[in-house]
Amino acid sequence: QVQLVESGGGVVQPGRSLRLSCAASGFSFSSYGMHWVRQAPGKGLEWVSVISNDANNENYVDSVKGRFTMSRDNSKNTLYLQMNSLTLEDTGVYYCAKDRFPYTNSHLGYYYGVDVWGQGTTVTVSS
Amino acid sequence: DIQMTQSPSSLSASVGDRVTITCRASQSITSYLSWIQQKPGRAPKLLIYAASRLESGVPSRFSASGSGTDFTLTISSLQPEDFATYYCQQSYNAPYTFGQGTKLEIK
């Protein structure tokens, strides 16, 4: 079945870096745009970033632009989120999710949401 | 950025009740809206996409409507497993913002 499994979370000091991974299985990974969504403790969902199916295009929420970089390796069915210069506000559970439909150019907008989510990996930024 | 505002923020209801949650966008998003359910400690789950299309496997007691700026999610007869937090999300323009959530609790 379709599955997304995140890893790489942990406890890190402010200003340090962390790289998250999301292993995909059960679908044609290279056909789908992918997203990261996060959730601070006790708070709502916040969209973080998207990458196109071919890895050529990305988009980010302003609060992480210049600090986070999303990438993917379609040969390994794996998605990544490189997080640099972490701040306390980056603490939370990070979910990866796939586009509902293939080839939707979701980095440009006008797409019909995400349909599968991973279980999340927890990032704690603390001194 | 497009602001998504849900109401109410919380709601108490009983099993068998009909409940409606609303979501308003700060500008037109046509039908690029999803409804998502999240239970404590669990990953979010897609219920509705394209404003009114029921995701495969989601019970038919869930329905949704709307376009432009105003949207609604209706649960026709609440079941015990429906008590959760519900979010709307626009996928019209990045950043793809969520509503603040509506927590549905047992009365």
Side-chain angles (χ1 to χ4, degrees):
Chain A
Q1 75 278 24
V2 177
Q3 192 171 15
L4 298 172
V5 179
E6 302 93 338
S7 61
V11 180
V12 62
Q13 293 179 326
R16 304 298 290 266
S17 300
L18 207 58
R19 188 176 85 155
L20 306 183
S21 299
C22 169
S25 59
F27 65 102
S28 178
F29 181 70
S30 62
S31 301
Y32 289 83
M34 298 291 296
H35 302 252
W36 287 99
V37 175
R38 67 185 178 184
Q39 187 168 36
K43 301 297 184 182
L45 300 171
E46 180 186 29
W47 177 83
V48 173
S49 59
V50 60
I51 190 168
S52 59
N53 68 293
D54 61 5
N56 287 335
N57 295 282
E58 304 140 50
N59 211 334
Y60 300 89
V61 69
D62 281 350
S63 60
V64 308
K65 279 181 183 174
R67 300 189 300 121
F68 289 13
T69 302
M70 198 172 176
S71 62
R72 62 191 297 163
D73 185 338
N74 286 343
S75 68
K76 296 182 178 179
N77 288 349
T78 303
L79 179 71
Y80 303 100
L81 184 67
Q82 177 66 43
M83 304 185 296
N84 298 333
S85 302
L86 285 161
T87 72
L88 300 179
E89 289 69 36
D90 296 318
T91 292
V93 178
Y94 284 71
Y95 298 99
C96 61
K98 66 174 278 291
D99 278 349
R100 176 64 180 79
F101 294 104
Y103 306 113
T104 54
N105 290 322
S106 50
H107 59 287
L108 297 175
Y110 318 116
Y111 72 100
Y112 289 115
V114 296
D115 64 341
V116 177
W117 301 64
Q119 287 300 307
T121 188
T122 300
V123 173
T124 302
V125 183
S126 174
S127 55
Chain B
D1 298 358
I2 298 173
Q3 305 303 315
M4 306 299 294
T5 304
Q6 288 181 233
S7 61
S9 295
S10 63
L11 176 60
S12 293
S14 302
V15 173
D17 284 354
R18 177 185 180 92
V19 300
T20 297
I21 299 168
T22 65
C23 178
R24 175 164 288 177
S26 59
Q27 68 178 74
S28 176
I29 58 171
T30 63
S31 61
Y32 291 102
L33 184 103
S34 301
W35 287 98
I36 294 152
Q37 178 193 64
Q38 187 180 31
K39 297 180 180 179
R42 303 281 296 274
K45 175 185 176 182
L46 177 67
L47 300 176
I48 302 284
Y49 66 96
S52 61
R53 299 194 176 187
L54 194 68
E55 175 66 355
S56 177
V58 174
S60 59
R61 61 181 179 272
F62 290 92
S63 65
S65 64
S67 66
T69 60
D70 294 314
F71 302 86
T72 60
L73 172 70
T74 298
I75 310 172
S76 60
S77 178
L78 274 173
Q79 299 302 300
E81 60 268 30
D82 299 336
F83 292 94
T85 300
Y86 294 84
Y87 296 92
C88 59
Q89 183 197 17
Q90 64 85 12
S91 51
Y92 183 78
N93 272 347
Y96 303 121
T97 42
F98 290 86
Q100 80 278 17
T102 295
K103 187 174 184 179
L104 181 53
E105 299 175 306
I106 300 174
K107 183 183 287 184

Coordinates of all heavy atoms in Angstrom, one line a residue, chain B residues 41-96:
Chain B
G41 N -2.3 12.6 18.2 CA -1.2 11.7 18.0 C -1.1 11.0 16.7 O -0.3 10.1 16.5
R42 N -2.0 11.3 15.8 CA -2.1 10.6 14.5 C -1.8 11.5 13.4 O -1.9 12.8 13.5 CB -3.6 10.1 14.4 CG -4.0 9.1 15.5 CD -3.5 7.7 15.3 NE -3.9 7.1 14.2 CZ -5.1 6.4 14.1 NH1 -5.9 6.3 15.1 NH2 -5.4 5.8 12.9
A43 N -1.5 11.0 12.3 CA -1.2 11.7 11.1 C -2.6 12.3 10.5 O -3.6 11.7 10.7 CB -0.6 10.9 10.0
P44 N -2.5 13.4 9.9 CA -3.7 13.9 9.3 C -4.2 13.0 8.2 O -3.5 12.2 7.6 CB -3.3 15.3 8.7 CG -2.1 15.6 9.4 CD -1.4 14.4 9.8
K45 N -5.5 13.1 7.9 CA -6.2 12.3 6.9 C -7.1 13.1 6.0 O -7.8 13.9 6.5 CB -7.1 11.2 7.6 CG -7.9 10.4 6.7 CD -8.8 9.5 7.5 CE -9.8 8.7 6.6 NZ -10.7 7.8 7.3
L46 N -6.9 12.9 4.7 CA -7.7 13.7 3.7 C -9.1 13.2 3.7 O -9.3 12.0 3.5 CB -7.1 13.6 2.3 CG -7.9 14.2 1.2 CD1 -7.9 15.8 1.4 CD2 -7.3 13.8 -0.2
L47 N -10.1 14.1 3.8 CA -11.5 13.7 3.7 C -12.1 14.1 2.4 O -12.8 13.4 1.8 CB -12.3 14.4 4.9 CG -11.9 14.0 6.3 CD1 -12.8 14.9 7.2 CD2 -12.1 12.6 6.6
I48 N -11.9 15.4 2.0 CA -12.5 16.0 0.9 C -11.4 16.8 0.1 O -10.6 17.4 0.7 CB -13.6 17.0 1.4 CG1 -14.6 16.4 2.2 CG2 -14.1 17.8 0.2 CD1 -15.6 15.6 1.5
Y49 N -11.4 16.7 -1.2 CA -10.6 17.5 -2.0 C -11.5 18.2 -3.1 O -12.6 17.8 -3.3 CB -9.5 16.7 -2.7 CG -10.0 15.6 -3.7 CD1 -10.0 15.9 -5.0 CD2 -10.4 14.4 -3.2 CE1 -10.4 14.9 -5.9 CE2 -10.8 13.4 -4.1 CZ -10.8 13.7 -5.5 OH -11.3 12.7 -6.4
A50 N -10.9 19.2 -3.7 CA -11.6 19.9 -4.8 C -13.0 20.4 -4.2 O -14.0 20.4 -4.9 CB -11.8 19.1 -6.0
A51 N -12.9 20.9 -2.9 CA -14.1 21.5 -2.3 C -15.2 20.6 -1.9 O -15.9 20.7 -0.9 CB -14.6 22.7 -3.0
S52 N -15.5 19.6 -2.8 CA -16.7 18.8 -2.5 C -16.5 17.3 -2.9 O -17.5 16.5 -2.7 CB -17.9 19.3 -3.3 OG -17.6 19.3 -4.7
R53 N -15.4 16.9 -3.3 CA -15.2 15.5 -3.7 C -14.7 14.6 -2.5 O -13.7 14.9 -1.9 CB -14.2 15.4 -4.8 CG -14.7 16.2 -6.1 CD -13.9 15.9 -7.3 NE -14.4 16.5 -8.5 CZ -14.0 16.4 -9.7 NH1 -13.1 15.5 -9.9 NH2 -14.6 17.0 -10.7
L54 N -15.5 13.6 -2.3 CA -15.2 12.7 -1.2 C -14.0 11.8 -1.5 O -14.0 11.1 -2.5 CB -16.4 11.8 -0.9 CG -16.4 11.1 0.5 CD1 -16.5 12.0 1.6 CD2 -17.6 10.1 0.5
E55 N -13.0 11.8 -0.6 CA -11.8 10.9 -0.9 C -12.3 9.4 -0.7 O -13.1 9.1 0.1 CB -10.7 11.2 0.2 CG -9.5 10.3 0.1 CD -8.7 10.4 -1.2 OE1 -9.1 11.1 -2.1 OE2 -7.6 9.8 -1.2
S56 N -11.6 8.6 -1.5 CA -11.9 7.2 -1.5 C -11.8 6.6 0.0 O -10.8 6.9 0.7 CB -11.0 6.4 -2.4 OG -11.2 5.1 -2.3
G57 N -12.8 5.8 0.4 CA -12.8 5.2 1.7 C -13.3 6.0 2.8 O -13.5 5.5 3.9
V58 N -13.7 7.3 2.5 CA -14.2 8.2 3.5 C -15.8 7.9 3.6 O -16.4 7.9 2.5 CB -13.9 9.6 3.3 CG1 -14.6 10.6 4.2 CG2 -12.4 9.9 3.3
P59 N -16.3 7.8 4.8 CA -17.8 7.5 4.9 C -18.6 8.6 4.2 O -18.3 9.8 4.3 CB -18.0 7.4 6.4 CG -16.7 7.0 7.0 CD -15.7 7.7 6.1
S60 N -19.7 8.1 3.7 CA -20.6 9.1 3.0 C -21.3 10.0 3.9 O -22.0 11.0 3.4 CB -21.6 8.3 2.2 OG -22.4 7.5 3.0
R61 N -21.2 9.9 5.2 CA -21.8 10.9 6.1 C -21.1 12.2 6.1 O -21.6 13.2 6.5 CB -21.9 10.4 7.6 CG -20.5 10.1 8.2 CD -20.7 9.5 9.6 NE -19.4 9.2 10.3 CZ -18.8 8.0 10.1 NH1 -19.4 7.1 9.4 NH2 -17.7 7.8 10.7
F62 N -19.9 12.2 5.5 CA -19.1 13.4 5.3 C -19.5 14.0 3.9 O -19.5 13.3 2.9 CB -17.6 13.1 5.3 CG -17.1 12.8 6.7 CD1 -17.0 11.5 7.1 CD2 -16.6 13.8 7.6 CE1 -16.5 11.2 8.4 CE2 -16.2 13.5 8.8 CZ -16.1 12.2 9.2
S63 N -19.8 15.3 3.9 CA -20.0 16.0 2.7 C -19.5 17.4 2.8 O -19.3 17.9 3.9 CB -21.5 15.9 2.3 OG -22.2 16.7 3.2
A64 N -19.3 18.0 1.7 CA -18.8 19.4 1.7 C -19.2 20.1 0.4 O -19.6 19.5 -0.6 CB -17.2 19.4 1.7
S65 N -19.2 21.4 0.6 CA -19.7 22.3 -0.5 C -19.0 23.6 -0.5 O -18.3 23.9 0.5 CB -21.2 22.4 -0.5 OG -21.6 23.2 0.7
G66 N -19.2 24.4 -1.5 CA -18.7 25.7 -1.5 C -17.8 26.0 -2.7 O -17.3 25.1 -3.4
S67 N -17.5 27.3 -3.0 CA -16.6 27.7 -4.0 C -16.3 29.2 -3.8 O -17.1 29.9 -3.1 CB -17.1 27.4 -5.4 OG -18.2 28.2 -5.7
G68 N -15.2 29.6 -4.4 CA -14.9 31.0 -4.2 C -14.2 31.3 -2.8 O -13.1 30.9 -2.6
T69 N -15.0 31.8 -1.9 CA -14.4 32.1 -0.6 C -15.1 31.4 0.6 O -14.5 31.4 1.7 CB -14.5 33.6 -0.3 OG1 -15.9 34.0 -0.3 CG2 -13.7 34.4 -1.3
D70 N -16.2 30.8 0.4 CA -17.0 30.2 1.5 C -17.3 28.7 1.3 O -17.8 28.3 0.2 CB -18.3 30.9 1.7 CG -18.1 32.4 2.1 OD1 -17.3 32.6 3.0 OD2 -18.8 33.3 1.5
F71 N -16.9 27.9 2.3 CA -16.9 26.5 2.2 C -17.5 25.9 3.5 O -17.4 26.5 4.5 CB -15.5 25.9 2.0 CG -14.9 26.5 0.8 CD1 -14.2 27.7 0.8 CD2 -15.0 25.9 -0.5 CE1 -13.6 28.2 -0.3 CE2 -14.4 26.4 -1.6 CZ -13.7 27.6 -1.5
T72 N -18.1 24.7 3.3 CA -18.7 24.1 4.5 C -18.3 22.6 4.5 O -18.3 22.0 3.4 CB -20.2 24.2 4.7 OG1 -20.8 23.7 3.5 CG2 -20.6 25.7 4.8
L73 N -18.1 22.0 5.6 CA -18.0 20.6 5.8 C -19.1 20.1 6.7 O -19.3 20.7 7.8 CB -16.7 20.2 6.5 CG -16.5 18.7 6.9 CD1 -16.3 17.9 5.7 CD2 -15.2 18.6 7.8
T74 N -19.9 19.1 6.3 CA -21.0 18.6 7.1 C -20.8 17.2 7.4 O -20.4 16.4 6.5 CB -22.3 18.8 6.4 OG1 -22.5 20.2 6.1 CG2 -23.5 18.3 7.2
I75 N -21.1 16.8 8.7 CA -21.1 15.4 9.1 C -22.6 15.1 9.4 O -23.1 15.8 10.3 CB -20.2 15.1 10.3 CG1 -18.8 15.6 10.0 CG2 -20.2 13.6 10.5 CD1 -17.9 15.6 11.2
S76 N -23.2 14.2 8.7 CA -24.7 14.1 8.8 C -25.1 13.4 10.1 O -26.2 13.8 10.6 CB -25.2 13.3 7.6 OG -24.6 12.0 7.6
S77 N -24.4 12.5 10.5 CA -24.8 11.8 11.8 C -23.5 11.4 12.5 O -22.8 10.4 12.1 CB -25.6 10.6 11.5 OG -25.9 9.9 12.7
L78 N -23.1 12.1 13.5 CA -21.8 11.9 14.1 C -21.6 10.5 14.7 O -22.5 10.0 15.4 CB -21.6 12.9 15.2 CG -21.0 14.3 14.9 CD1 -21.1 15.2 16.1 CD2 -19.6 14.2 14.3
Q79 N -20.5 9.9 14.4 CA -20.1 8.7 15.0 C -19.0 8.9 16.0 O -18.3 9.9 15.9 CB -19.7 7.7 13.9 CG -20.8 7.4 12.9 CD -22.0 6.8 13.6 OE1 -22.0 5.8 14.2 NE2 -23.2 7.5 13.4
P80 N -18.8 7.9 16.9 CA -17.8 8.1 18.0 C -16.4 8.4 17.4 O -15.6 9.2 17.9 CB -17.8 6.8 18.7 CG -19.2 6.3 18.6 CD -19.6 6.7 17.2
E81 N -16.1 7.8 16.2 CA -14.8 7.9 15.6 C -14.6 9.3 14.9 O -13.5 9.6 14.5 CB -14.5 6.8 14.6 CG -15.5 6.7 13.5 CD -16.6 5.8 13.8 OE1 -17.0 5.6 14.9 OE2 -17.1 5.2 12.8
D82 N -15.6 10.1 14.9 CA -15.5 11.4 14.2 C -15.0 12.5 15.1 O -14.8 13.6 14.6 CB -16.9 11.8 13.6 CG -17.4 10.8 12.6 OD1 -16.6 10.1 12.0 OD2 -18.6 10.8 12.4
F83 N -14.9 12.2 16.4 CA -14.5 13.3 17.3 C -13.0 13.5 17.1 O -12.1 12.6 17.3 CB -14.8 12.9 18.7 CG -16.3 13.0 18.9 CD1 -17.1 11.9 18.8 CD2 -17.0 14.2 19.1 CE1 -18.5 11.9 18.9 CE2 -18.3 14.3 19.3 CZ -19.1 13.2 19.2
A84 N -12.6 14.6 16.6 CA -11.3 14.9 16.1 C -11.2 16.4 15.8 O -12.1 17.2 16.1 CB -11.0 14.1 14.8
T85 N -10.0 16.8 15.3 CA -9.9 18.2 14.8 C -9.9 18.2 13.3 O -9.3 17.4 12.7 CB -8.6 18.8 15.3 OG1 -8.6 18.8 16.8 CG2 -8.4 20.2 14.9
Y86 N -10.6 19.2 12.8 CA -10.8 19.3 11.3 C -10.1 20.6 10.8 O -10.3 21.7 11.4 CB -12.3 19.3 11.0 CG -12.9 17.9 11.3 CD1 -13.3 17.6 12.6 CD2 -13.0 17.0 10.3 CE1 -13.8 16.4 12.9 CE2 -13.5 15.7 10.6 CZ -13.9 15.4 11.9 OH -14.4 14.2 12.2
Y87 N -9.4 20.5 9.7 CA -8.8 21.6 9.1 C -9.2 21.8 7.7 O -9.4 20.8 7.0 CB -7.2 21.4 9.1 CG -6.6 21.4 10.4 CD1 -6.4 20.1 11.1 CD2 -6.1 22.5 11.1 CE1 -5.8 20.1 12.3 CE2 -5.5 22.5 12.3 CZ -5.3 21.2 12.9 OH -4.7 21.2 14.2
C88 N -9.3 23.0 7.2 CA -9.4 23.3 5.8 C -8.0 23.7 5.3 O -7.2 24.3 6.1 CB -10.5 24.3 5.5 SG -10.3 25.9 6.2
Q89 N -7.7 23.5 4.0 CA -6.5 24.0 3.5 C -6.7 24.4 2.0 O -7.4 23.7 1.3 CB -5.4 22.9 3.5 CG -4.1 23.4 2.9 CD -3.1 22.3 2.5 OE1 -3.5 21.1 2.3 NE2 -1.8 22.6 2.4
Q90 N -6.2 25.6 1.7 CA -6.3 26.0 0.3 C -5.0 25.6 -0.5 O -3.9 25.6 0.1 CB -6.5 27.6 0.2 CG -5.4 28.4 0.8 CD -4.3 28.7 -0.2 OE1 -4.4 28.5 -1.4 NE2 -3.2 29.3 0.3
S91 N -5.3 25.2 -1.7 CA -4.2 24.8 -2.6 C -4.2 25.7 -3.9 O -3.8 25.2 -5.0 CB -4.2 23.3 -2.9 OG -5.5 22.9 -3.3
Y92 N -4.6 26.9 -3.7 CA -4.7 27.8 -4.9 C -3.4 28.5 -5.1 O -2.9 28.6 -6.3 CB -5.8 28.8 -4.6 CG -6.1 29.8 -5.7 CD1 -6.9 29.4 -6.8 CD2 -5.7 31.1 -5.6 CE1 -7.2 30.3 -7.8 CE2 -6.0 32.0 -6.6 CZ -6.8 31.6 -7.7 OH -7.1 32.5 -8.7
N93 N -2.8 29.1 -4.1 CA -1.6 29.8 -4.1 C -0.7 29.5 -3.0 O -1.2 29.4 -1.8 CB -1.8 31.3 -4.1 CG -2.1 32.0 -5.5 OD1 -1.8 31.3 -6.5 ND2 -2.5 33.2 -5.5
A94 N 0.6 29.4 -3.2 CA 1.5 29.2 -2.1 C 1.7 30.5 -1.4 O 1.6 31.6 -2.0 CB 2.9 28.7 -2.6
P95 N 1.9 30.5 0.0 CA 1.9 29.3 0.8 C 0.5 28.7 1.0 O -0.5 29.4 1.1 CB 2.5 29.8 2.1 CG 2.0 31.3 2.2 CD 2.1 31.7 0.7
Y96 N 0.5 27.4 1.0 CA -0.8 26.7 1.0 C -1.4 26.6 2.5 O -1.3 25.6 3.1 CB -0.6 25.3 0.4 CG -0.1 25.4 -1.0 CD1 1.1 24.8 -1.3 CD2 -0.8 26.1 -2.0 CE1 1.6 24.9 -2.6 CE2 -0.3 26.2 -3.3 CZ 0.9 25.6 -3.6 OH 1.5 25.7 -4.9

